[in-house]
Amino acid sequence: KQWYQRRVAITAGDEKVVGHCIGELALYLKPLSSGSQKAGNSITLSRPMQRKLVALVHCQLAEPVGRARALRAARSLGERTCTELILQHQNQQQLSSMLWAAVRTRGCQFLGPAMQEAALKYILLSLEQGEALSRKVLVLYVVQQLEPHFPQASKTSIGHVVQLLYRASCFKVAKRNDDSSLMQLKKKKVPTATLR
């Protein structure tokens, strides 16, 4: 700890430069404190950036511990700035396609948005009149309906969707002796938006 404090020891000239830089950064908080932002100088800082900037401004540069805190706060502020810049320049559609490509290469049984929507539609169609079906029959029906449009539909992937709906308490389950349970859609869960 003493080595770190010696390392951040600064001269009077350095202290003046650092104080000036921190003062310049503090000016970004001025529009926020006055409550009004000028049209020409409207830089909106995110809450995390505001907190990190306030933490930096409040560091006591005259003390070695304060200088050490200022270094940590400046590093944290720089990291957050880089993160926000990256997030602002990312293409959401490209990110989505990269995510789905990664999922497919790992062989995961996730559905794309269109296939998921179609699967939910067929589950709803098969159960909306109050029919009670076993999980196996329901999964086979949905896979048969999806195969013409989505050849990659499998019993495993649709089974995962049914399992998620089951765990979300979307079904009334009737246990049967020596046979698989029957599932019936709960009345309050019928709209597709709710199933999503």
Side-chain angles (χ1 to χ4, degrees):
K1 189 173 181 180
Q2 290 174 347
W3 171 82
Y4 187 69
Q5 289 174 350
R6 279 199 311 270
R7 186 174 169 216
V8 294
I10 55 176
T11 64
D14 292 337
E15 190 173 338
K16 191 174 183 180
V17 171
V18 170
H20 176 73
C21 291
I22 291 177
E24 288 288 316
L25 288 171
L27 292 176
Y28 287 107
L29 293 171
K30 191 174 180 182
L32 300 170
S33 62
S34 66
S36 62
Q37 290 187 339
K38 298 176 182 125
N41 190 22
S42 65
I43 296 174
T44 306
L45 295 176
S46 67
R47 293 264 185 210
M49 288 285 284
Q50 291 173 27
R51 283 193 301 271
K52 291 177 189 308
L53 189 52
V54 167
L56 177 62
V57 169
H58 284 276
C59 290
Q60 298 294 324
L61 297 178
E63 299 292 323
V65 174
R67 291 192 292 272
R69 282 192 187 128
L71 278 177
R72 287 192 298 271
R75 178 181 176 206
S76 179
L77 183 64
E79 287 172 353
R80 183 66 199 185
T81 303
C82 290
T83 301
E84 290 195 10
L85 281 171
I86 289 168
L87 289 174
Q88 280 186 347
H89 291 89
Q90 282 181 331
N91 180 345
Q92 291 301 319
Q93 191 166 5
Q94 184 182 12
L95 279 177
S96 178
S97 63
M98 286 169 46
L99 173 66
W100 284 114
V103 165
R104 280 191 296 272
T105 57
R106 290 171 188 242
C108 298
Q109 295 294 333
F110 290 104
L111 312 178
M115 188 172 158
Q116 179 179 319
E117 189 71 28
L120 289 175
K121 181 180 89 172
Y122 288 122
I123 290 169
L124 185 60
L125 282 173
S126 62
L127 297 173
E128 70 182 349
Q129 298 301 321
E131 294 87 354
L133 299 174
S134 69
R135 183 183 307 211
K136 182 178 179 180
V137 170
L138 179 60
V139 167
L140 286 173
Y141 169 76
V142 173
V143 169
Q144 286 174 354
Q145 299 301 314
L146 288 175
E147 276 179 337
H149 307 290
F150 302 98
Q152 72 273 24
S154 67
K155 289 187 284 186
T156 306
S157 59
I158 301 305
H160 286 171
V161 173
V162 172
Q163 180 67 18
L164 287 171
L165 294 174
Y166 173 78
R167 288 192 178 174
S169 302
C170 294
F171 301 118
K172 284 191 287 184
V173 179
K175 304 270 185 197
R176 296 190 297 175
N177 292 340
D178 301 328
D179 209 349
S180 57
S181 302
L182 293 178
M183 297 189 306
Q184 200 173 14
L185 200 60
K186 287 184 178 176
K187 296 293 181 196
K188 65 176 183 174
K189 300 283 185 181
V190 166
T192 310
T194 308
L195 285 177
R196 265 190 234 111

